[in-house]
Amino acid sequence: MTSSDRRLAAALSRRAVLKAGAAGAALVAAPTVLRAQAPAVKLGIIQPVTGALAEAGDLGRLGAELAIADINAAGGLKALGGAKIEMVFADNRSNPEAAAQEVERLQGEKVAAIVGGFGSGLCMTATQAAARYDLPYLVDVGVADAITKRGLKNTFRMAPSFSMATEVALKNLVTLNDAAGKPVKTVVIVHEDGLFGSGLAKLLGSELPKLGFEVLETISHPTPARDMSNIALRIRSLKPDLVIPSNYYGEFVLLARTMQQQRIRPKAIYAIFGGGASSLRFVKEFPQAADGVIDCNHWHDPKNPKSADIRARTEAAGKSYVYNVPLNYSAVMLMAEAIEVAGGVASDKLIAALSSRDFGSGVMPYGRSKFVEGQNVSALPLNTQIQDNDVKVIYPDAFAQVKPVFPLKA
C-alpha cells in the first residue's frame, strides 16, 4: 500500500468514527428530543363577563389569566412533569341558572377543578352543580355564609364570608368611632336585594344595636338599579351619621354620586363589601364622590411586592385595578399548589388535599390559607379608605398605609 493509500484509509476511518460518534450522540439525545410533554391540566375559570356583573367578572378573569401565565412561565406544575395549565373559560352571564349550565359544560370539557363565580347567587348554583360530579370548586368571592354551610365536600371559599367580614368591620368601626369621640350614633343601611346584600343587612341590623348604634332604616334595591334619587332623598330626610352600603359596583357608584349631587354628606360612608368603594375606576372617574369613602372588603397585601406588579399589569391591559384581580390571581395560585400537593388531578385526592393541608395565599393578606368545612378560616378583609385619589389600607395596623380620616368634614 502506498503512502497515499494509507492516508486515504486513515481519513475514511476517522470519518467512520465521527459518524458512529454522532449516531451514538443522537441515540443518547433522542429520548430528550422525543420525550412527550406532559399533557396540559384543564382548569375551569367561571366569571360573569356579560350581564349586570360583567365588569367584575372581566377583572376576575384577568386575575386568573395572569396567574396561569406566571405558573406556566415558571415551568408549569412540577409534580406533573412540568404540565402547563390550560384555561377553559365559562361565562355565567350574571345569571344563577346559566352558572349551573356552564358548570355542566366544564364537566364535559374534563376540567380538573373550577375557580371563580363572583356573585353569591351564582356561586350557590354553580357549586351545587359541581357537587354532582365531586368536581373541586374554589369560590373566589361569593360571600354568603350559606355557600359553605351545605355540607358540599367539593366546595371551598378563598375569601372571608360576610359574617367573618362583618365581625371585622364592626370591630374596626367601633375603634374608629371611639377614637374620634363617638360622633357616629345613627346608621342607615343600603343593600342590594339578593343573597349577599340581604343576608349582610340582616346581620348588621342585629349586631349594630348591640354596639350602641341606632339603625334608622334598612333600604334595599334591585341589581341592576338605574336610579338612586329616592334612596338619596330618604337618606337626606333621616339625616344619619353613617351610611353603610353593601352592593355591586354600578349601584354603589350611582348611590355615591347621587348623594354627592344632592349634597348629602354624612359623617362617614362605611361600606362593607361595597362594590365600588375599593375600585380605582370609581376613584378616577368620580374623585369627589369617592373621597373619604371607607370600605371593609377583599384587598391585597400592600406590602407584598407582587401586588404592585399585578396592579401594573392590570393597568397595562387598559383596565382599572380592583380586588377581583389579586383575589383570583391568588385563588388560581392556591389551586395549582393543591394540584401539586395531590400529585395529580384525581378529584378525590384534590379534595382531600384542600381539606387537610394549608396553602400559600398569593398576594392576599391571609398568611397560610386553611380550609375548615370549606371556608378559608385564615381569610381576612382589610379596611381601606380613599385618600389622595387612591385606595389605601387603614386597618389592621400590620397592613396599614395611612391613618384614617374619621369623621369626614361636613
Side-chain angles (χ1 to χ4, degrees):
M1 179 182 290
T2 67
S3 61
S4 176
D5 291 336
R6 284 195 293 271
R7 286 195 297 273
L8 177 60
L12 290 172
S13 177
R14 283 196 298 274
R15 281 198 290 270
V17 169
L18 290 172
K19 283 184 179 179
L27 287 172
V28 171
T32 301
V33 173
L34 298 177
R35 184 184 297 126
Q37 184 174 349
V41 170
K42 292 183 177 182
L43 183 62
I45 303 297
I46 185 167
Q47 290 289 340
V49 294
T50 55
L53 307 177
E55 181 172 7
D58 182 53
L59 290 165
R61 174 172 60 182
L62 176 61
E65 289 172 343
L66 294 177
I68 290 170
D70 285 355
I71 292 165
N72 289 343
L77 298 166
K78 307 297 192 299
L80 278 66
K84 299 295 192 284
I85 295 179
E86 175 188 332
M87 176 192 287
V88 182
F89 186 73
D91 177 11
N92 61 32
R93 305 194 294 280
S94 306
N95 179 285
E97 183 179 350
Q101 292 168 351
E102 284 296 272
V103 168
E104 296 288 343
R105 182 177 68 80
L106 291 175
Q107 166 65 17
E109 296 263 5
K110 300 189 184 316
V111 299
I114 297 175
V115 175
F118 183 58
S120 291
L122 307 174
C123 294
M124 283 287 283
T125 57
T127 51
Q128 189 73 51
R132 290 198 288 270
Y133 306 103
D134 290 326
L135 181 58
Y137 193 126
L138 180 58
V139 172
D140 56 344
V141 183
V143 297
D145 286 351
I147 291 171
T148 57
K149 298 290 187 182
R150 297 167 294 164
L152 301 181
K153 301 300 184 185
N154 71 310
T155 300
F156 304 86
R157 176 166 45 213
M158 177 81 174
S161 66
F162 65 55
S163 62
M164 294 170 69
T166 300
E167 181 180 356
V168 172
L170 293 181
K171 176 184 175 183
N172 291 342
L173 174 60
V174 169
T175 300
L176 276 170
N177 201 40
D178 287 352
K182 298 188 177 180
V184 168
K185 297 178 175 63
T186 59
V187 180
V188 166
I189 300 166
V190 181
H191 69 94
E192 65 92 31
D193 63 2
L195 185 63
F196 141 57
S198 297
L200 187 56
K202 183 178 179 181
L203 185 58
L204 287 171
S206 169
E207 295 302 314
L208 282 165
K210 298 175 185 176
L211 299 171
F213 299 99
E214 180 187 357
V215 179
L216 298 178
E217 195 160 317
T218 300
I219 306 171
S220 67
H221 63 77
T223 301
R226 305 302 181 196
D227 185 20
M228 289 286 183
S229 298
N230 289 338
I231 292 176
L233 288 172
R234 184 59 180 157
I235 292 171
R236 179 193 289 281
S237 69
L238 291 167
K239 298 180 181 178
D241 298 321
L242 180 69
V243 174
I244 299 182
S246 294
N247 36 27
Y248 295 111
Y249 180 84
E251 290 68 35
F252 182 93
V253 173
L254 184 58
L255 175 63
R257 289 184 62 204
T258 304
M259 289 174 63
Q260 183 222 347
Q261 290 162 358
Q262 295 190 14
R263 298 184 180 180
I264 301 168
R265 184 74 162 176
K267 293 176 181 176
I269 297 176
Y270 188 95
I272 302 177
F273 291 137
S278 299
S279 168
L280 288 166
R281 177 186 169 190
F282 178 41
V283 175
K284 180 181 179 181
E285 294 182 355
F286 309 106
Q288 287 183 308
D291 186 45
V293 170
I294 296 175
D295 195 15
C296 184
N297 211 329
H298 319 293
W299 199 247
H300 64 262
D301 174 1
K303 299 182 180 180
N304 186 326
K306 189 66 180 177
S307 298
D309 172 65
I310 295 170
R311 176 171 172 173
R313 290 159 73 187
T314 300
E315 292 171 347
K319 301 180 187 295
S320 294
Y321 186 79
V322 73
Y323 67 78
N324 307 71
V325 182
L327 182 51
N328 277 276
Y329 180 94
S330 302
V332 169
M333 285 289 185
L334 188 151
M335 184 60 79
E337 185 182 349
I339 292 171
E340 296 268 21
V341 169
V345 295
S347 293
D348 57 343
K349 291 183 179 179
L350 187 49
I351 290 171
L354 287 164
S355 301
S356 61
R357 297 286 293 270
D358 58 39
F359 301 91
S361 299
V363 297
M364 301 308 288
Y366 302 163
R368 297 293 294 177
S369 285
K370 174 71 175 176
F371 297 98
V372 176
E373 295 181 350
Q375 174 61 51
N376 180 6
V377 294
S378 304
L380 176 71
L382 300 185
N383 270 83
T384 61
Q385 185 171 35
I386 298 172
Q387 296 186 20
D388 299 323
N389 294 323
D390 202 358
V391 177
K392 299 291 187 181
V393 177
I394 57 173
Y395 282 134
D397 291 339
F399 302 101
Q401 299 167 286
V402 295
K403 297 291 185 182
V405 177
F406 185 96
L408 300 175
K409 294 179 181 179

